[in-house]
Amino acid sequence: MPLSERRFDKYNLHKMIIKPLYLGVLLNIVIPGVLLFVCFYLKNNNLYTNPIVDFETMNILFIIFAVLSIIHSGLALWMRQKFFTTPMVTNNEKFEEDLTLSLLEKIRPVYFLISVIALYGICYYFLTTKFEEAAFLVVFSFLVFQVVRPRIRFVQKLIDAQLKLIENK
């Protein structure tokens, strides 16, 4: 282990990211995956075949949902970056516990924002019966989650940033 990594030995980094990670997997992979499977089942068994919107509106609606998805993903990335400048810990005594709870609290809205992208895909399917485009939006939300989810290196940088914020107080 490099010397620069040893300063994190007193923190249980895995414990700090496990709850936020499991919440993200539930909100951004399991639930959208199940909903996409339902759409797939409906499509393959021809149980839902009448689109609500007309053909000309389908492409415009997809473009609107795609643009909204890009905006949501950019906003999610921006909100995640704000963690480094926002105080999440008040003192050093309960640093790890405070940071763990604060990370879970602050990443929850980011995960909900990403899950909205998947919901755009599900709504698009029920409005248009076009499964491939709906699946594209859901898979895009999976990818955004993979970029935003906390990793060990992210938590290390977050610890450094929070310690600096405490020192500058």
Side-chain angles (χ1 to χ4, degrees), residues 40-75:
F40 180 75
Y41 178 80
L42 293 173
K43 176 188 179 289
N44 279 351
N45 292 317
N46 293 325
L47 297 174
Y48 188 75
T49 56
N50 295 329
I52 295 173
V53 298
D54 60 358
F55 185 73
E56 291 85 33
T57 311
M58 289 180 187
N59 291 335
I60 294 170
L61 187 62
F62 180 74
I63 291 170
I64 290 170
F65 281 162
V67 168
L68 286 173
S69 297
I70 291 169
I71 291 170
H72 281 241
S73 61
L75 188 58

Side-chain angles (χ1 to χ4, degrees), residues 2-161:
L3 186 59
S4 63
E5 301 289 320
R6 289 192 181 142
R7 70 179 185 273
F8 300 112
D9 283 348
K10 63 181 175 179
Y11 304 111
N12 187 347
L13 302 177
H14 296 284
K15 182 183 174 191
M16 294 173 87
I17 65 169
I18 198 70
K19 284 183 182 178
L21 190 59
Y22 282 161
L23 177 66
V25 166
L26 176 69
L27 291 176
N28 295 299
I29 293 180
V30 173
I31 293 172
V34 168
L35 293 173
L36 188 63
F37 179 75
V38 168
C39 294
F40 180 75
Y41 178 80
L42 293 173
K43 176 188 179 289
N44 279 351
N45 292 317
N46 293 325
L47 297 174
Y48 188 75
T49 56
N50 295 329
I52 295 173
V53 298
D54 60 358
F55 185 73
E56 291 85 33
T57 311
M58 289 180 187
N59 291 335
I60 294 170
L61 187 62
F62 180 74
I63 291 170
I64 290 170
F65 281 162
V67 168
L68 286 173
S69 297
I70 291 169
I71 291 170
H72 281 241
S73 61
L75 188 58
L77 289 169
W78 176 77
M79 288 172 70
R80 181 179 174 255
Q81 279 306 115
K82 292 289 288 178
F83 293 170
F84 294 112
T85 58
T86 306
M88 298 170 76
V89 177
T90 55
N91 57 32
N92 278 333
E93 287 82 36
K94 297 185 343 181
F95 183 86
E96 184 176 342
E97 182 181 332
D98 287 351
L99 187 60
T100 302
L101 292 174
S102 188
L103 179 62
L104 181 62
E105 176 186 317
K106 296 215 183 259
I107 208 158
R108 193 175 300 142
V110 176
Y111 287 160
F112 282 122
L113 195 61
I114 296 169
S115 66
V116 168
I117 298 170
L119 288 178
Y120 287 152
I122 303 303
C123 290
Y124 185 79
Y125 174 76
F126 284 108
L127 291 172
T128 64
T129 68
K130 294 177 111 182
F131 179 76
E132 290 78 16
E133 289 85 349
F136 175 80
L137 291 171
V138 173
V139 169
F140 181 69
S141 76
F142 292 167
L143 294 175
V144 173
F145 169 70
Q146 288 301 318
V147 171
V148 171
R149 73 180 174 89
R151 293 178 173 82
I152 295 295
R153 187 74 187 128
F154 168 78
V155 174
Q156 290 172 341
K157 289 179 183 178
L158 187 62
I159 289 170
D160 285 339

